[in-house]
């Protein structure tokens, strides 16, 4: 009972901060930057090795720089040739490419002088961690500036799917989806989560905040399906990484939930396809 209470309270605080960030752009950027750095720390221990401080430091520095650029350009009120939305998107893309280039330059050069076994694996692991964690969270920050309703809808659909997939699997889950990777994830739970995500997607357009997108109902349904499809793959990917590392949780920063990667695994994989779909199909 005590563990359930702790899990509920910590989850409620996390959700409240994320929802508040949708309305307060600087808060969202700072929050996502902190989450990205925590995720890098967790992932570096799972994938890159517990003592690879160099890769961890380079990734965190690149992450802070990316979010600083997004915050700066996101707060600009007007520009000479383009609106602030376009400038923010362009700044994010340019900084993302620059930060990736820095990773691919610094880490290989460092490996030349460290004389460790499997240097290519270490470089690849760091590159994977950055692309898996930082870039999706950076895109969420940008989309908060571009269209807050889309980001909040993404959060609600993801949380709805995760919650009811867990409940459905716990109550009547029989057929395992990938038993050798995630023993608790079942097809029954996934279908339950999908159905509830579709219900949420049908309800959202009737709420004025989301109705401002003026998107047809089928677009909302597709959005929910994308959240479920890619969110499930994200959940399984993190389970695969943890199983390979021989751990149950990615960390312990969130009481009752584990690490930030345990909480955000679905969002990390789904954010890029879902938010890009929303940007080009749903945002007016």
């Amino acid at each position: 009972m005590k563990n359930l209470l702790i899990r509920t309270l910590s989850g409620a605080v996390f959700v409240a901060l994320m929802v508040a960030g949708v309305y307060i752009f600087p808060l969202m950027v700072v929050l996502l930057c902190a989450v990205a750095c925590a995720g890098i720390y967790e992932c570096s221990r799972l994938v890159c090795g517990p003592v690879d401080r160099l890769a961890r430091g380079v990734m965190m520095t690149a992450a802070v720089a990316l979010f600083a650029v997004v915050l700066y350009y996101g707060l600009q009120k007007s520009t000479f040739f383009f609106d602030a939305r376009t400038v923010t998107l362009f700044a994010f893309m340019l900084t993302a490419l620059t930060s990736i280039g820095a990773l691919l330059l610094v880490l290989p050069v460092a490996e030349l002088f460290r004389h460790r076994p499997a240097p290519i694996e270490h470089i690849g692991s760091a590159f994977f961690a950055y692309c898996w964690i930082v870039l999706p969270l950076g895109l969420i920050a940008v989309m908060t500036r571009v269209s807050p309703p889309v980001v909040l809808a993404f959060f609600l659909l993801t949380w709805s799917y995760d919650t009811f997939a867990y409940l459905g699997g716990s109550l009547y889950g029989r057929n395992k989806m990938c038993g050798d990777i995630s023993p608790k994830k079942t097809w029954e739970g996934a279908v339950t989560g999908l159905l509830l995500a579709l219900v949420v997607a049908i309800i959202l357009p009737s709420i004025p905040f989301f109705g401002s997108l003026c998107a047809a109902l089928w677009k909302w349904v597709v959005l929910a399906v994308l959240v479920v499809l890619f969110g499930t793959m994200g959940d399984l990917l993190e389970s695969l990484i943890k199983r390979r590392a021989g751990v149950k949780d990615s960390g312990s920063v969130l009481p009752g939930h584990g690490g930030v990667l345990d909480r955000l695994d679905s969002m990390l994989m789904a954010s890029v396809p879902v938010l890009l779909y929303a940007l080009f199909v749903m945002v007016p």
Side-chain angles (χ1 to χ4, degrees):
M1 186 66 181
K2 182 179 179 180
N3 290 336
L4 178 61
L5 179 61
I6 293 174
R7 178 183 176 88
T8 302
L9 290 176
S10 63
V13 171
F14 181 79
V15 169
L17 287 173
M18 295 292 282
V19 172
V22 172
Y23 297 93
I24 307 172
F25 175 69
L27 173 62
M28 178 64 85
V29 175
V30 172
L31 178 62
L32 291 178
C33 183
V35 169
C37 290
I40 288 172
Y41 180 81
E42 293 176 2
C43 190
S44 67
R45 294 177 62 85
L46 296 176
V47 179
C48 303
V51 295
D52 197 353
R53 296 186 180 90
L54 174 64
R56 186 186 305 161
V58 172
M59 287 189 290
M60 286 186 178
T61 301
V64 172
L66 184 144
F67 283 101
V69 171
V70 171
L71 178 61
Y72 174 79
Y73 283 101
L75 292 176
Q76 302 304 305
K77 300 299 182 182
S78 62
T79 59
F80 289 106
F81 303 105
F82 303 100
D83 57 51
R85 171 189 299 189
T86 304
V87 171
T88 305
L89 284 168
F90 177 77
F92 168 72
M93 293 174 61
L94 182 62
T95 310
L97 293 174
T98 303
S99 59
I100 290 174
L103 287 175
L104 294 179
L105 176 63
V106 173
L107 295 180
V109 171
E111 289 295 337
L112 292 176
F113 299 96
R114 300 173 79 182
H115 305 293
R116 299 191 305 171
I120 302 302
E121 286 76 1
H122 286 288
I123 297 170
S125 297
F127 181 69
F128 162 77
Y130 190 81
C131 293
W132 179 43
I133 299 170
V134 180
L135 297 186
L137 294 178
L139 182 59
I140 293 175
V142 172
M143 286 300 294
T144 303
R145 171 64 180 81
V146 172
S147 179
V150 163
V151 175
L152 185 55
F154 174 51
F155 288 166
L156 294 176
L157 289 171
T158 302
W159 293 334
S160 299
Y161 169 67
D162 284 346
T163 301
F164 287 96
Y166 172 78
L167 293 176
S170 299
L171 291 175
Y172 46 83
R174 296 291 183 274
N175 299 292
K176 299 184 184 301
M177 186 176 292
C178 291
D180 56 335
I181 296 176
S182 182
K184 294 184 179 181
K185 182 165 287 295
T186 63
W187 286 105
E188 291 84 357
V191 171
T192 303
L194 172 62
L195 293 176
L196 267 296
L198 290 174
V199 170
V200 172
I202 293 172
I203 293 174
L204 288 180
S206 63
I207 301 174
F209 181 71
F210 302 100
S212 61
L213 294 173
C214 300
L217 182 59
W218 70 267
K219 295 181 180 180
W220 286 96
V221 171
V222 172
L223 185 73
V225 172
L226 291 175
V227 167
V228 171
L229 176 63
F230 288 98
T232 300
M233 289 191 292
D235 191 350
L236 292 174
L237 174 62
E238 200 231 357
S239 296
L240 176 63
I241 293 172
K242 290 191 296 184
R243 181 165 289 273
R244 178 181 177 274
V247 298
K248 180 178 182 294
D249 297 321
S250 64
S252 57
V253 68
L254 296 175
H257 294 273
V260 296
L261 295 181
D262 295 317
R263 186 67 183 176
L264 296 177
D265 51 2
S266 299
M267 286 187 184
L268 291 177
M269 179 69 78
S271 61
V272 174
V274 169
L275 295 181
L276 289 181
Y277 163 81
L279 176 64
F280 291 107
V281 177
M282 299 181 67
V283 175

